Amino acid sequence: MTELEKGPLGQRRGRGARERILSASQRLFRDKGINRTGMDQLCAEAQVSKRTAYQHFATKDDLVTEYLRRFDPDVMPGVFDRPDLTPRERLLAAFEIPATTPLCPYIAAAVELHDPAHPASQYARDYKTAIAKRLTETARKAGATNPEQLGEQLALLIDGASARTRVLDTDSFPTAATIAAVLIDNAIPS
Amino acid sequence: MTELEKGPLGQRRGRGARERILSASQRLFRDKGINRTGMDQLCAEAQVSKRTAYQHFATKDDLVTEYLRRFDPDVMPGVFDRPDLTPRERLLAAFEIPATTPLCPYIAAAVELHDPAHPASQYARDYKTAIAKRLTETARKAGATNPEQLGEQLALLIDGASARTRVLDTDSFPTAATIAAVLIDNAIPS
DNA sequence: AGCTATGTAGACCGATCCGTACCCAACGGC
DNA sequence: GCCGTTGGGTACGGATCGGTCTACATAGCT
């Protein structure tokens, strides 16, 4: 009970300020976008004073960067490490997780911030590169003749499905999965 | 000379105000983004007074919508109508035009505006649907067994290349073209 | 009990935002 | 030559932005 909110009237919301800020960021940045979410509103939502917020994150840019970094542990949660799947199945499983991330926050951030030099944009690039690398590794284990190419191709499919889902408001991951199956079958010698 | 800017000192920049506003929008929205481009700056760039701007476009949202509509004639300029290409070649040609549109303005607008009900967002959806339809028609002419599927797949590849090019700052259209070739070959019986 | 760290609440700052209003200059049609 | 339309220039309003600051309350540690 030391770090959680106190009971009925204690009014003290506890030491979890940083956590509340980040989870409010997730919700608001996803629902309203980064630029359209003000710090005032964010602090109100997180039940945190602005002072506290700026003690944890020197600037809004820092908060955005940290907000993106937050997704790191969730990177394709466990998809690449599931021992119950063959490498080929793992590649396909990467197209079945969009429910958790309705739209790729990295693409959104890169577009909204609109500055390739922004730390968050750089992190978005790093993340995308990391995903491609994981896909390439798995493709190699699956016996693809050209794992780098297959990894890059699958990464493109994921981004395409993500972007298209966002713009059209229709789940495009099934289409991407269909393409992926074709590519994988073509790339892995029987 | 009636509608162009006058000579040396006339100071009168002519009646092309609306045109100048739209072309300044293209430049600024592309380089700085929609949200980060203020009307003051835009008017300055277009050499137009704010009054004039708001006589032509009641609100910034209207301007953004009209800015997107501007791309309509350029929709895959001539790709689908080139008589010198076979339908199959036309499908592949759709992946060779990104030089003119470094990053899809529709995706950018949908992400930046972040409101599916925004007229510009709706127009972005219409545009994407139109592109898919053109691809489907061409796929049908090319003899694809399932033209709808192939059209949707190719549309996803285009969006994927566009998004990925934006985030990674690397031209991803060659990768998309490679995938497209595989899909087309698989979908069209020899 | 007392100290410090951490928190809340909210006023406040300058900048920027979209949009409006006012006044005047230059053209076009009569 | 006169007048209406179109336009430039610009000051202004209200809102919101990111960020700072003061004043006060509570938690844990000793």
Side-chain angles (χ1 to χ4, degrees):
Chain A
M1 189 186 289
T2 52
E3 301 217 346
L4 284 178
E5 60 255 50
K6 304 302 286 295
L9 209 123
Q11 221 55 348
R12 186 56 166 199
R13 288 165 210 77
R15 300 298 172 75
R18 184 186 175 91
E19 218 55 32
R20 290 200 308 276
I21 295 170
L22 283 170
S23 80
S25 301
Q26 282 195 23
R27 190 176 42 243
L28 290 174
F29 289 166
R30 163 167 49 82
D31 294 344
K32 302 190 42 180
I34 296 174
N35 288 327
R36 303 182 114 79
T37 299
M39 290 299 282
D40 289 318
Q41 181 189 4
L42 198 147
C43 290
E45 193 91 0
Q47 290 187 287
V48 152
S49 74
K50 295 189 71 176
R51 163 168 186 138
T52 303
Y54 279 95
Q55 268 169 343
H56 284 287
F57 307 97
T59 155
K60 188 185 181 181
D61 287 340
D62 288 3
L63 172 58
V64 172
T65 307
E66 199 56 30
Y67 148 79
L68 282 184
R69 219 175 289 273
R70 241 335 158 73
F71 290 95
D72 204 36
D74 306 45
V75 169
M76 301 279 151
V79 165
F80 295 110
D81 308 312
R82 285 175 58 180
D84 57 324
L85 298 181
T86 66
R88 184 184 180 285
E89 289 169 334
R90 282 179 221 164
L91 290 177
L92 282 173
F95 293 87
E96 289 171 4
I97 54 158
T100 55
T101 35
L103 54 95
C104 169
Y106 299 93
I107 297 178
V111 173
E112 281 206 83
L113 301 175
H114 216 278
D115 173 16
H118 192 291
S121 296
Q122 295 180 346
Y123 183 68
R125 278 197 296 277
D126 294 345
Y127 178 88
K128 288 295 175 193
T129 307
I131 290 282
K133 181 171 287 184
R134 301 280 288 261
L135 287 167
T136 295
E137 288 170 10
T138 310
R140 179 172 289 114
K141 287 178 191 159
T145 55
N146 192 340
E148 283 82 7
Q149 175 176 304
L150 184 56
E152 181 66 22
Q153 288 176 339
L154 296 181
L156 187 144
L157 291 180
I158 292 175
D159 287 344
S162 195
R164 204 160 173 76
T165 299
R166 165 66 160 265
V167 174
L168 291 180
D169 209 15
T170 309
D171 186 6
S172 294
F173 278 87
T175 300
T178 306
I179 304 176
V182 173
L183 294 179
I184 292 171
D185 287 341
N186 272 32
I188 303 181
S190 66
Chain B
M1 191 185 289
T2 52
E3 302 217 344
L4 283 180
E5 59 255 52
K6 305 303 286 296
L9 207 125
Q11 219 59 346
R12 186 57 167 202
R13 287 169 209 76
R15 299 300 171 73
R18 185 185 174 89
E19 217 55 32
R20 291 202 306 278
I21 295 170
L22 283 170
S23 81
S25 300
Q26 282 196 23
R27 190 165 8 130
L28 289 174
F29 289 167
R30 164 167 45 85
D31 294 345
K32 302 189 43 179
I34 295 173
N35 288 327
R36 303 183 114 79
T37 298
M39 289 299 283
D40 290 317
Q41 181 188 4
L42 197 147
C43 290
E45 194 90 1
Q47 288 187 289
V48 151
S49 74
K50 295 189 72 177
R51 161 169 185 132
T52 303
Y54 278 96
Q55 267 168 342
H56 283 288
F57 307 96
T59 156
K60 185 184 181 181
D61 287 341
D62 289 2
L63 172 58
V64 171
T65 307
E66 199 55 32
Y67 147 79
L68 282 185
R69 218 175 289 275
R70 240 341 159 67
F71 290 95
D72 204 35
D74 307 45
V75 168
M76 300 277 152
V79 165
F80 294 110
D81 308 312
R82 285 175 59 180
D84 57 323
L85 298 182
T86 66
R88 185 184 182 284
E89 287 168 335
R90 282 179 221 163
L91 290 177
L92 282 173
F95 293 88
E96 288 171 3
I97 55 158
T100 55
T101 35
L103 53 98
C104 169
Y106 299 92
I107 298 178
V111 172
E112 280 206 82
L113 301 175
H114 216 279
D115 174 15
H118 192 292
S121 295
Q122 294 180 345
Y123 182 68
R125 277 196 298 276
D126 295 344
Y127 178 89
K128 287 295 175 192
T129 307
I131 290 280
K133 181 172 288 185
R134 301 282 288 261
L135 287 167
T136 295
E137 289 170 9
T138 309
R140 180 172 289 114
K141 287 179 190 159
T145 56
N146 191 341
E148 282 82 8
Q149 174 175 303
L150 184 55
E152 181 65 23
Q153 288 177 339
L154 296 182
L156 187 144
L157 291 180
I158 292 175
D159 287 345
S162 197
R164 205 159 171 77
T165 298
R166 166 65 161 265
V167 175
L168 291 180
D169 209 15
T170 309
D171 187 5
S172 293
F173 278 87
T175 300
T178 305
I179 304 176
V182 173
L183 294 178
I184 293 172
D185 288 341
N186 271 34
I188 304 179
S190 67

